[in-house]
Amino acid sequence: MTITHHLDDATLMSFAAGALPEGLAAVAAAHVALCRRCRREVAALDRVGAALVADLSPARLDRPEPAAPASSGRGARGHEPTDPLARLLGGGLDGIRWRWIGPGVWHCPLPLAGEGTLNLIKAAPGRAVPEHGHAGSELTLVLGGTLRDVTGIYARGDVADLDEEIAHQPFAGDEADCVCLVASEKPAQFRGLLARLMRPWHGM
Amino acid sequence: MVSLSITSGADAGLLARALRGIMPDLLRRIAEQADPAAFRELYQAYGPRVKAYMMRRGADAATAEDLAQETLLTVWRRASLYTEGKGSASTWIFAIARNLRIDRLRREVPWQELPEGRLEQAGSETPPDEVVAEKERQVRVRAALATLPPEQQAVVALSYLEGLSHSEIAHRLRVPVGTIKSRMRIAYQKIRLALEDLQ
């Protein structure tokens, strides 16, 4: 798999800082899990956090240090690093319960504790993949098929991390259904969505 | 405004260098011998800063101290997974603290993996020159941060220490989101440049 569309540098830094809104962080994590280049970048950016924390003025501790458990319990559970895609998709793409939202387009909202939205979206070949409005940042990760728009062709693992000012209308490629994971910083805005969905892709 | 004191040569820098020297040794003693004295030292070295980090995010002192304890206890439990050179001990501790903060203070899922999860070959010994290179990377990151202009330092600090998103930083500083993002990109490019020959 050759990934050609990566996370924006500002998105990567915010992700490493633990400061991305939750939905965007989920998509960023799923991309990073698939992308060796961005994994390396995040590792470098974690060092920035370490340097900043080391330079904080120390807070006074009010209690004695906690007793370390007798057995250090090698590799004990808790805050397990797990594959984000496995965590998001559970049994994989085949187990998704799709909801029809328009001709040739289905979605499956995923729960978030924080603000924003996270959706799996499936579009039949040639169909427009709905965007969830332009308020705030949006990340789209391709999981299956291809996605095309004026900025290029996106295949599995590629992420569209576009500035809000770039108007783009992505379509599923002609060869197969396109499945994407889409996060939006702000609540979804489905206004005008159906109109766009009715329009098949005629090449660009 | 945001206060950020990145010192390259003063006391904090000296302390940080001293910590870097003793940390791998402490982690080894924890991993191999489950040595409670090593844990005590680690907690005294790192607990106060992890507590300060949690307080920057708005935790009260008692909660922040609970989370500092939990961060270092996680280190205790997982010390055997730590591999020197795949990111320093302090980077690993930062990642654990960051994820705990998202989990407890934001009550969200921490999606960021811990550095140990990125090991390409688990259990392999780190070559000594890689350990040296990792130390050098930390020095360079610190130096690059210290030379950023104040407006870029502010964006980086608000992101890492206060956990603010791009739009929250934009709101706080009353500048457009696009400006925040470009300041962050430039800051990142400078850090990347500082590490270029060590990747």
Side-chain angles (χ1 to χ4, degrees):
Chain A
M1 179 164 52
T2 311
I3 292 175
T4 50
H5 298 275
H6 299 280
L7 293 165
D8 182 276
D9 283 350
T11 308
L12 275 170
M13 183 174 252
S14 196
F15 178 64
L20 271 191
E22 190 187 1
L24 302 181
V27 179
H31 171 77
V32 167
L34 294 169
C35 177
R36 184 184 287 263
R37 178 257 178 198
C38 287
R39 234 174 1 252
R40 216 170 34 230
E41 297 290 319
V42 172
L45 285 165
D46 281 351
R47 291 189 195 102
V48 174
L52 292 174
V53 171
D55 274 338
L56 285 175
S57 341
R60 190 170 51 85
L61 296 176
D62 299 321
R63 286 170 272 156
E65 74 277 355
S71 154
S72 76
R74 306 271 178 265
R77 304 192 75 79
H79 310 284
E80 284 299 316
T82 45
D83 176 12
L85 275 173
R87 193 149 76 177
L88 284 165
L89 302 180
L93 286 177
D94 295 338
I96 306 294
R97 297 167 65 103
W98 294 106
R99 252 187 245 173
W100 186 88
I101 49 170
V105 185
W106 298 262
H107 84 153
C108 171
L110 301 174
L112 289 179
E115 266 190 29
T117 56
L118 183 62
N119 277 277
L120 282 161
I121 293 182
K122 183 165 79 167
R127 286 289 167 182
V129 175
E131 295 168 88
H132 285 198
H134 282 283
S137 301
E138 186 175 283
L139 287 179
T140 304
L141 174 71
V142 177
L143 296 175
T146 59
L147 189 68
R148 292 145 197 267
D149 74 359
V150 286
T151 63
I153 298 176
Y154 296 76
R156 179 174 161 80
D158 282 328
V159 67
D161 184 358
L162 303 173
D163 266 341
E164 286 152 60
E165 52 265 28
I166 298 178
H168 70 127
Q169 176 57 79
F171 289 85
D174 281 330
E175 63 292 336
D177 286 352
C178 176
V179 178
C180 298
L181 181 64
V182 184
S184 186
E185 189 180 2
K186 299 280 162 64
Q189 295 174 344
F190 282 99
R191 203 149 40 105
L193 181 65
L194 265 176
R196 283 191 287 156
L197 292 178
M198 299 302 285
R199 217 167 47 213
W201 183 57
H202 294 303
M204 314 181 100
Chain B
M1 259 322 271
V2 188
S3 68
L4 175 63
S5 58
I6 297 168
T7 44
S8 50
D11 293 348
L14 281 173
L15 176 66
R17 272 194 289 282
L19 284 177
R20 273 200 300 277
I22 60 167
M23 287 285 293
D25 180 50
L26 289 178
L27 283 174
R28 238 191 320 274
R29 278 161 56 201
I30 290 171
E32 290 166 11
Q33 303 153 32
D35 178 355
F39 177 72
R40 228 170 4 251
E41 266 187 72
L42 186 77
Y43 186 72
Q44 272 150 16
Y46 252 81
R49 283 180 178 75
V50 176
K51 180 177 176 180
Y53 171 68
M54 297 298 180
M55 289 177 78
R56 279 297 281 267
R57 176 67 200 189
D60 60 61
T63 307
E65 192 156 329
D66 285 346
L67 291 173
Q69 293 199 357
E70 198 172 336
T71 300
L72 276 305
L73 284 171
T74 302
V75 172
W76 167 263
R77 283 198 307 273
R78 299 175 72 84
S80 59
L81 299 176
Y82 165 75
T83 313
E84 213 178 328
K86 284 286 182 184
S88 70
S90 57
T91 304
W92 188 50
I93 292 172
F94 162 73
I96 292 171
R98 172 197 64 201
N99 285 10
L100 256 179
R101 188 171 82 166
I102 292 171
D103 185 48
R104 298 304 160 77
L105 298 180
R106 273 167 58 167
R107 305 197 181 285
E108 293 178 3
V109 175
W111 288 99
Q112 299 83 348
E113 280 183 275
L114 298 176
E116 78 213 28
R118 302 193 196 108
L119 297 181
E120 307 288 338
Q121 299 167 291
S124 58
E125 283 289 310
T126 308
D129 57 341
E130 175 49 32
V131 176
V132 174
E134 179 54 34
K135 292 203 171 111
E136 178 62 20
R137 284 187 199 108
Q138 290 172 64
V139 171
R140 302 249 193 113
V141 165
R142 181 175 295 272
L145 283 169
T147 54
L148 293 178
E151 72 274 10
Q152 288 167 24
Q153 282 196 2
V155 168
V156 172
L158 286 169
S159 184
Y160 277 89
L161 297 178
E162 306 206 11
L164 300 186
S165 68
H166 298 146
S167 49
E168 287 166 337
I169 297 173
H171 184 74
R172 171 85 69 94
L173 301 181
R174 299 194 179 132
V175 287
V177 175
T179 309
I180 300 302
K181 287 189 184 180
S182 58
R183 283 181 192 169
M184 206 177 258
R185 285 185 201 114
I186 297 166
Y188 183 8
Q189 279 152 20
K190 287 178 185 162
I191 293 161
R192 186 190 278 138
L193 195 66
L195 293 173
E196 201 174 36
D197 55 324
L198 284 176
Q199 287 302 325

